[in-house]
Amino acid sequence: MACLQHPDKDQPVYLMAHHTIGRRQDAVDTRITSSEISGIHAAIQWTGTHWIIRDLSRNGTWVNGQQLVPAKNYPLQQGDRIAFGRASNPLWVVESLDAPENLLIDLRTGEALPLEQYHLLPDESDPLASLHFNPLTGQWLYEITGTPSGSESATVVKHGERIDCGRHSWQLFLAENQGATKELSLQRLSITDFALRFTVSHHEEHVQLQLRREDMKKDLPARTHNYLLLYLARARIRDIQQGADPDAQGWVSIQLVTRELGITANHLNTQIFRARKQIAETLPDAIDTSSLVERRSWEIRLGCSHFEIYKGAQLESRMAQPEKAQPD
């Protein structure tokens, strides 16, 4: 995580991929209020391989005592000392020149944690909430466990905003504009565009999961939460066999799920979060996993409608997505 050491504060200033410094409030990423600082005084930018600095000011920018030529790019080195306005002004020291990174900054300690695509809060061992990126909308969403409506109750969180979870508080730091258009072949895909293959041991002690789409196959190791997904897949199959409408297929009350699986509601929510996280870490970042398990009024169901279940080597059941209607 690239950062500068502020001359007057202990906490470092983390750098965005294109980071501006100046006096204009709401126009720059780091503000210096001195009257000799221009509105947008300088820019520090990640090129993809290294960091550069560019002077955009009237009064000058200095690196290691040398004034920069305005509008010219200069490479930065770790340990460089930067002065804005005058060479004698307080020095900003280049502490790190790692690639830009999304972070959660602890508001109590100042510690910066690398932000994962699907992040459990306050920690992995006892998650109370999740913070995850939805590539379909280009937004980061904060969702508390146990909400009856699931992603519908998720809150959009933007760069610089505060996140409170239990006794912990963080500031969201987004190094790049995640909402920008990405030139990806998998753009706008959801987990519901994938087929799931469950392989269950004969005693149902282990459930392995494979994700499939066209020529892509991703194998996930056996985890406890895979059995929850299998349970929900079997519920959809039962409803199909009983002739239920597609919109009604697979919904199971949380009370029934917890009773039949012998877990608490909190443990159920933890398993859902961990299942989404495992799949999010397996698939490319551009794929949304929030609809893996759908929620409504204290009911849940498997969001995927294309899957097959194998008990050992034998096919137990299969559910295929309905054919899309052809345009007239």
Side-chain angles (χ1 to χ4, degrees):
M1 53 194 82
C3 62
L4 305 178
Q5 181 56 56
H6 194 292
D8 302 320
K9 299 179 181 178
D10 292 334
Q11 186 171 336
V13 174
Y14 298 104
L15 296 177
M16 303 180 70
H18 184 273
H19 197 99
T20 53
I21 298 166
R23 185 162 48 89
R24 282 180 56 191
Q25 192 168 10
D26 300 327
V28 295
D29 301 304
T30 296
R31 190 178 182 217
I32 304 175
T33 57
S34 172
S35 60
E36 63 194 29
I37 302 299
S38 299
I40 301 178
H41 193 99
I44 298 175
Q45 186 174 348
W46 173 249
T47 68
T49 59
H50 61 281
W51 290 89
I52 58 173
I53 185 169
R54 183 167 57 252
D55 176 46
L56 305 172
S57 70
R58 299 184 307 273
N59 295 329
T61 299
W62 309 71
V63 175
N64 299 327
Q66 299 297 313
Q67 187 172 8
L68 305 184
V69 175
K72 182 178 178 180
N73 294 334
Y74 291 83
L76 278 176
Q77 303 293 330
Q78 190 166 341
D80 281 350
R81 297 173 178 272
I82 307 170
F84 302 101
R86 302 179 191 174
S88 58
N89 278 348
L91 296 173
W92 299 65
V93 180
V94 178
E95 274 203 346
S96 171
L97 290 176
D98 293 337
E101 191 171 13
N102 294 332
L103 305 170
L104 279 176
I105 302 172
D106 191 305
L107 292 179
R108 181 177 62 85
T109 65
E111 180 184 2
L113 303 174
L115 180 61
E116 300 172 351
Q117 197 75 3
Y118 200 100
H119 204 101
L120 300 181
L121 297 172
D123 54 47
E124 294 268 352
S125 61
D126 186 24
L128 302 176
S130 74
L131 180 65
H132 59 277
F133 180 67
N134 185 333
L136 305 184
T137 62
Q139 296 172 322
W140 283 90
L141 301 175
Y142 176 66
E143 180 183 347
I144 300 174
T145 61
T147 53
S149 54
S151 60
E152 294 180 2
S153 62
T155 303
V156 176
V157 187
K158 299 178 181 179
H159 172 74
E161 291 186 342
R162 175 174 173 148
I163 300 169
D164 295 309
C165 182
R167 298 180 180 180
H168 302 266
S169 297
W170 298 270
Q171 181 185 45
L172 180 64
F173 177 89
L174 300 179
E176 299 188 59
N177 179 12
Q178 293 286 346
T181 301
K182 296 183 178 181
E183 298 298 327
L184 295 171
S185 60
L186 294 171
Q187 188 178 8
R188 300 191 66 80
L189 283 184
S190 165
I191 184 59
T192 57
D193 296 308
F194 286 74
L196 309 183
R197 176 171 176 165
F198 296 93
T199 303
V200 193
S201 64
H202 286 289
H203 297 290
E204 305 218 346
E205 294 176 348
H206 301 283
V207 181
Q208 292 180 300
L209 182 61
Q210 184 183 77
L211 312 177
R212 297 181 173 190
R213 186 179 188 276
E214 297 175 352
D215 60 348
M216 179 190 296
K217 290 184 181 180
K218 297 286 186 180
D219 291 302
L220 280 67
R223 293 287 187 272
T224 303
H225 51 250
N226 288 350
Y227 193 84
L228 169 63
L229 301 180
L230 172 66
Y231 174 93
L232 296 176
R234 285 170 168 166
R236 288 198 78 144
I237 290 291
R238 286 196 300 271
D239 285 350
I240 291 171
Q241 293 171 343
Q242 294 171 8
D245 292 335
D247 289 344
Q249 292 169 4
W251 290 106
V252 188
S253 74
I254 291 177
Q255 184 179 15
L256 179 62
V257 176
T258 54
R259 184 172 71 246
E260 293 195 341
L261 295 185
I263 58 177
T264 65
N266 284 342
H267 193 193
L268 171 69
N269 290 312
T270 297
Q271 288 195 19
I272 293 172
F273 275 38
R274 286 177 175 162
R276 290 178 181 169
K277 178 178 172 61
Q278 184 188 26
I279 293 176
E281 291 174 343
T282 302
L283 295 177
D285 289 348
I287 298 173
D288 177 38
T289 62
S290 60
S291 55
L292 175 66
V293 176
E294 298 176 342
R295 295 178 185 264
R296 72 177 187 189
S297 302
W298 302 105
E299 292 182 313
I300 60 173
R301 75 168 177 179
L302 183 68
C304 300
S305 57
H306 186 188
F307 55 83
E308 54 190 14
I309 302 171
Y310 280 81
K311 191 99 177 245
Q314 293 294 115
L315 178 65
E316 175 185 305
S317 55
R318 175 181 286 133
M319 178 175 176
Q321 289 176 317
E323 295 293 331
K324 293 183 179 180
Q326 296 297 319
D328 296 331

